[in-house]
Amino acid sequence: MNETLLLDTDVASFLFKNSPHAKPFRPLIKGKRLALAFVSVAELFKWTLKRRWGPRKTEQLETALHRYVVIPYDRDLAWAWAGVVATCEDAGKPIAPSDAWVAAAALRHDVVLATNNLKHFDAAESLCGLKLLRAQPA
């Protein structure tokens, strides 16, 4: 099976919108099994509501999401989240709850995280062993 790569919400959004920001990620994700954390799916759904997308564009997003494996909540993921949050807080480097869920999903399943928001995950990388994919700017 191909290597699994977890995409942060920003990268999934770039790909969906065919944004120029997706360009540096395209060669890095080619041939990979792509995954999203459940929280990323929720964030993408929130954007459809906040931006008042119509049914057609919302359906396009729903269809695009079929290409991803979605990592669901489970007890071990909750413990991984608690570990990430507690470790980062104890070091004086708090992490946003949604970012902590994404980091926990990557750690729980021992996969690399592709994100354009490296600063959001610096503490989890240095303190928890999160593996980040660093794309070169376009």
Side-chain angles (χ1 to χ4, degrees), residues 9-24:
T9 311
D10 62 337
V11 176
S13 175
F14 296 159
L15 294 168
F16 174 72
K17 296 185 295 188
N18 201 24
S19 163
H21 296 295
K23 187 176 181 180

Side-chain angles (χ1 to χ4, degrees), residues 23-99:
K23 187 176 181 180
F25 291 96
R26 290 193 187 283
L28 301 173
I29 66 174
K30 188 173 182 165
K32 304 279 195 278
R33 181 178 174 208
L34 301 179
L36 292 173
F38 74 92
V39 70
S40 293
V41 175
E43 287 179 321
L44 292 167
F45 287 170
K46 179 187 83 172
W47 293 348
T48 70
L49 300 174
K50 297 281 286 181
R51 292 181 175 103
R52 292 177 170 73
W53 288 7
R56 187 170 146 257
K57 192 168 182 182
T58 301
E59 182 58 35
Q60 288 172 341
L61 174 63
E62 290 271 10
T63 299
L65 290 173
H66 290 294
R67 74 177 70 133
Y68 301 103
V69 173
V70 177
I71 296 175
Y73 164 86
D74 65 23
R75 186 178 184 83
D76 290 337
L77 181 59
W79 278 109
W81 180 89
V84 168
V85 172
T87 300
C88 291
E89 286 178 355
D90 287 350
K93 299 178 178 184
I95 184 170
S98 57
D99 291 335

